[in-house]
């Protein structure tokens, strides 16, 4: 079923407005690698610059894209995952919700991401996830970031926690070594736009 066509306000086209409309989000934590996401949605579509996408279990996380980004519907779900592509550069956002039985904290999420990459390592894919360092944005505090290389693609990994510690976003930006600088900058702008409902503010 194409949940994007039935998403209503989950995908909307105005520039980001920090009000209840502009919450949008990211993937449910991937329990497998990118290729294991169900292929139940139609092919990708280019999104107008300024489009905000709301998703996650309760559509309480948001991300905004700039010009030229395609939403890869085959690798995305409003409940469990968003992948944006521009040329050979991709931005993957994963939503992670915690419960009382699960470990929390950004360090635990980072370690979990590394364990997920073990699936690819065991299949012969060269994956190198660097040591994490602190990372903040306008909307996120206490996050982590580190270098990432998957075969011949390079980039950056992120863990972006909600302020209340009940959820987080795992993000990956990957592309070829010689991708255009403006595309990398635009990919980072998507990362910088990620916000949780309880952190949204009036612009």
């Amino acid at each position: 079923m194409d949940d994007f066509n039935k998403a209503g306000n989950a995908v909307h086209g105005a520039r980001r407005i920090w009000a209840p409309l502009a919450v949008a989000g990211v993937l449910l934590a991937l329990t497998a690698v990118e290729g294991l996401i169900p292929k139940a949605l139609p092919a990708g579509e280019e999104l107008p610059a300024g489009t905000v996408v709301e998703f996650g279990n309760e559509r309480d996380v948001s991300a905004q894209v700039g010009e030229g980004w395609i939403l890869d519907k085959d690798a995305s779900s409003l409940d469990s995952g968003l992948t944006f592509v521009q040329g050979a550069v991709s931005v993957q956002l994963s939503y992670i919700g915690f419960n009382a039985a699960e470990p929390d904290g950004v360090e635990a999420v980072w370690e979990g991401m590394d364990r997920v990459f073990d699936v690819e390592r065991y299949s012969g894919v060269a994956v190198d996830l660097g040591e994490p360092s602190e990372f903040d944005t306008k909307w996120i505090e206490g996050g982590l970031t580190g270098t990432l290389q998957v075969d011949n693609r390079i980039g950056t990994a992120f863990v972006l926690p909600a302020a209340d510690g009940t959820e987080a976003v795992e993000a990956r930006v990957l592309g070829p070594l010689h991708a255009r600088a403006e595309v990398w900058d635009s990919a980072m702008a998507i990362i910088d736009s990620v916000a949780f409902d309880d952190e949204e503010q009036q612009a």
Side-chain angles (χ1 to χ4, degrees), residues 96-113:
I96 302 171
F98 301 112
N99 63 45
E102 294 179 66
D104 57 7
V106 291
E107 293 84 4
V109 177
W110 190 270
E111 292 169 4
M113 178 167 51

Side-chain angles (χ1 to χ4, degrees), residues 106-164:
V106 291
E107 293 84 4
V109 177
W110 190 270
E111 292 169 4
M113 178 167 51
D114 197 34
R115 287 193 297 271
V116 168
F117 281 129
D118 281 341
V119 176
E120 296 191 60
R121 294 183 181 110
Y122 293 151
S123 68
V125 177
V127 179
D128 182 21
L129 179 63
E131 290 297 316
S133 57
E134 294 181 358
F135 180 78
D136 296 335
T137 72
K138 180 179 181 180
W139 310 111
I140 304 292
E141 293 184 356
L144 294 175
T145 187
T147 58
L148 177 62
Q149 181 169 353
V150 179
D151 272 347
N152 61 350
R153 305 183 79 212
I154 63 167
T156 312
F158 304 87
V159 174
L160 309 171
D164 63 6

Side-chain angles (χ1 to χ4, degrees), residues 46 56 63 65 94 104 113 146 163 178 180 183-184 195 197 201:
E46 186 167 350
V65 299
S94 303
D104 57 7
M113 178 167 51
H178 299 298
R180 291 181 294 127
V183 179
W184 286 117
D197 193 6
Q201 303 175 24

Side-chain angles (χ1 to χ4, degrees), residues 67-89:
E67 185 175 357
W69 288 96
I70 293 171
L71 175 66
D72 183 349
K73 291 185 174 182
D74 284 344
S76 300
S77 163
L78 290 178
D79 292 326
S80 61
L82 295 179
T83 297
F84 302 108
V85 178
Q86 184 168 163
V89 176

Side-chain angles (χ1 to χ4, degrees), residues 26-30 94-98 102 109 159 166-170 196:
V26 281
L27 301 168
L28 187 64
L30 289 178
S94 303
Y95 174 76
I96 302 171
F98 301 112
E102 294 179 66
V109 177
V159 174
T166 64
E167 53 192 346
V169 169
E170 176 191 304
F196 295 87

